[in-house]
């Protein structure tokens, strides 16, 4: 029975050895080929008889004196197998890449290989694609930086002459009465100049805010930020008799850019005061809580509100839902830019004459 099992085992081993997809070879302690499988013959393009009895260095002379050749000897002496992740082999115009493992088989040295040519080529292509994407990304970053610099220079350089033009119109009107024919023209020119000045001012504010996107984060206390914003808007709050309710009991502190948190609260509160309903006392509710592991800020008012169907437009630059009061139309754009730049989300729900609610997930 034992002899029968041994015979089967030997037959199985022989079958696996001979039919392996990749080259397998066996060498003696003098590094002479004892046996090679069919894949070795096919890959090398020489007969099995040409292998048997030849020394490893006769077939692969470039191995002489290499660490790899010495490691094969060490395997025979110590019995500890070694492996190589990537070996190159050329046959004519074909180039192969292999992983290789050397191990002791009785008194002999066994060497098994695995053809990773296609896998290696795929990895190389992926690396090249990644390098190309990185190059494109770097070019985009450079282009965006140049556009930002151009926007800043354009906005900054245009602001001075427009301000001067606005002042000249004032001086012109103070210099003396304007004829009835010229008055409408001057009035229109004044309005256009003001609009242009407001747009440039808005652009400068946007650019200034975006320049802080790489600012350092720190622990920010919500109640302290709200108190600071309320102090700055105290005149409007007092005159409108606005009630502000705060609840930061669930999440009182956030690790964030303090300038950005203040800007978010400032713009939301300013909008609520500006677009309050004229027939009821303004109420603003500000609260925080944790939602799905993220901090959520909720800001709700009972103001004029707007049609929910245009909610996707409210965060656009220079977009305004109400024009009966002055505004630049950049507050919500700045908030959206701040939140999304750091990977957050913002959503808004509103009803005409009922109010608006913003939910920001940082």
């Amino acid at each position: 029975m034992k002899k029968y099992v041994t015979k089967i085992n030997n037959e199985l081993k022989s079958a696996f050895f001979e039919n392996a997809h990749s080259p397998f070879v066996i060498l003696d302690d003098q590094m002479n080929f004892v046996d090679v499988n069919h894949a070795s013959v096919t890959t090398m393009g020489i007969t099995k008889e040409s292998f048997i009895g030849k020394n490893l260095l006769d077939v692969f002379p470039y191995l002489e004196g290499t660490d790899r050749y010495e490691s094969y000897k060490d395997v025979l002496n110590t019995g500890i197998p070694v492996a190589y992740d990537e070996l190159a082999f050329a046959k004519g115009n074909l180039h192969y890449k292999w992983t290789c493992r050397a191990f002791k088989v009785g008194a002999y040295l066994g060497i098994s290989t695995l053809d990773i040519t296609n896998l290696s080529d795929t990895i190389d292509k992926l690396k090249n694609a990644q390098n190309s994407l990185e190059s494109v990304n770097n070019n985009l970053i450079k282009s965006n930086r140049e556009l930002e610099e151009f926007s800043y220079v354009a906005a900054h350089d245009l602001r001075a002459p427009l301000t001067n033009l606005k002042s000249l119109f004032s001086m012109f009107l103070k210099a003396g009465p304007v004829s009835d024919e010229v008055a409408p023209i001057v009035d229109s020119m004044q309005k256009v100049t003001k609009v242009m000045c407001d747009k440039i001012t808005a652009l400068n504010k946007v650019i200034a805010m975006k320049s802080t996107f790489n600012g350092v984060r720190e622990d920010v206390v919500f109640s302290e930020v709200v108190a600071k914003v309320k102090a700055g808007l105290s005149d409007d709050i007092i005159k409108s008799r606005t009630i502000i309710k705060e609840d930061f009991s669930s999440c009182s502190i956030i690790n964030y850019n303090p300038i950005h948190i203040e800007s978010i609260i400032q713009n939301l509160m300013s909008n609520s005061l500006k677009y309050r309903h004229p027939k009821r006392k303004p109420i603003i509710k500000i609260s925080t809580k944790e939602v799905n592991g993220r901090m959520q800020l909720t800001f709700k008012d009972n103001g004029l509100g707007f049609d929910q169907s245009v909610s996707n437009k409210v965060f656009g630059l220079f977009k305004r839902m109400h024009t009966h009061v002055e505004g630049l139309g950049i507050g919500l754009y700045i908030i959206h830019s701040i939140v999304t730049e750091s990977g957050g989300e913002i959503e808004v729900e509103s009803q005409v004459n009922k109010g608006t609610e913003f939910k920001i997930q940082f």
Side-chain angles (χ1 to χ4, degrees), residues 56-116:
L56 181 64
L57 296 179
D58 292 335
V59 182
F60 302 105
Y62 61 84
L63 288 176
E64 187 171 8
T66 63
D67 291 339
R68 181 176 152 202
Y69 184 72
E70 294 301 320
S71 70
Y72 289 165
K73 291 181 179 180
D74 290 339
V75 173
L76 283 168
N77 294 328
T78 65
I80 301 173
V82 295
Y84 295 90
D85 291 334
E86 191 171 306
L87 300 174
F89 171 71
K91 177 188 172 185
N93 294 327
L94 298 176
H95 294 270
Y96 298 93
K97 290 180 181 177
W98 311 86
T99 60
C100 173
R101 183 175 176 81
F103 48 92
K104 198 169 183 180
V105 184
Y108 299 97
L109 177 70
I111 299 178
S112 64
T113 64
L114 178 64
D115 185 356
I116 59 167

Side-chain angles (χ1 to χ4, degrees), residues 158-159 161-170 185-201:
L158 285 172
R159 187 175 183 180
L162 282 172
T163 302
N164 290 337
L165 184 60
K166 191 176 179 181
S167 298
L168 287 172
F169 274 122
S170 297
I185 299 174
V186 174
D187 184 58
S188 295
M189 292 174 69
Q190 272 190 303
K191 290 178 180 178
V192 170
T193 303
K194 183 182 183 304
V195 170
M196 291 178 69
C197 284
D198 289 345
K199 296 282 187 182
I200 294 298
T201 299

Side-chain angles (χ1 to χ4, degrees), residues 114-139:
L114 178 64
D115 185 356
I116 59 167
T117 306
N118 292 334
L119 176 61
S120 182
D121 288 345
T122 301
I123 292 172
D124 288 340
K125 289 177 181 178
L126 287 173
K127 286 180 179 178
N128 290 333
Q130 183 179 5
N131 290 334
S132 297
L133 285 172
E134 287 178 357
S135 178
V136 170
N137 188 49
N138 289 334
N139 288 333

Side-chain angles (χ1 to χ4, degrees), residues 9-10 59 147 175 177 181 227 282 304 313 341 354:
N9 285 341
N10 288 334
V59 182
L147 284 172
E181 293 179 355
L304 292 173
K313 299 179 180 180
E341 175 69 19
K354 289 190 176 181

Side-chain angles (χ1 to χ4, degrees), residues 156-262:
H156 182 270
D157 290 353
L158 285 172
R159 187 175 183 180
L162 282 172
T163 302
N164 290 337
L165 184 60
K166 191 176 179 181
S167 298
L168 287 172
F169 274 122
S170 297
M171 293 171 63
F172 175 75
L173 292 173
K174 290 178 181 178
V178 179
S179 66
D180 293 340
E181 293 179 355
V182 177
I185 299 174
V186 174
D187 184 58
S188 295
M189 292 174 69
Q190 272 190 303
K191 290 178 180 178
V192 170
T193 303
K194 183 182 183 304
V195 170
M196 291 178 69
C197 284
D198 289 345
K199 296 282 187 182
I200 294 298
T201 299
L203 285 175
N204 276 319
K205 286 185 177 180
V206 171
I207 293 167
M209 178 53 64
K210 289 195 172 186
S211 68
T212 66
F213 278 167
N214 294 322
V216 179
R217 291 175 174 238
E218 60 184 68
D219 285 345
V220 182
V221 180
F222 277 107
S223 59
E224 293 179 358
V225 175
V226 172
K228 183 178 179 181
V229 172
K230 286 196 298 185
L233 297 172
S234 59
D235 285 347
D236 284 342
I237 293 172
I238 293 169
K239 287 178 182 177
S240 61
R241 299 172 64 195
T242 299
I243 297 172
I244 300 176
K245 299 179 179 180
E246 306 168 32
D247 182 6
F248 305 120
S249 56
S250 295
C251 299
S252 60
I253 299 174
I254 185 173
N255 188 263
Y256 213 75
N257 186 319
I259 295 174
H260 291 171
I261 290 294
E262 184 176 339

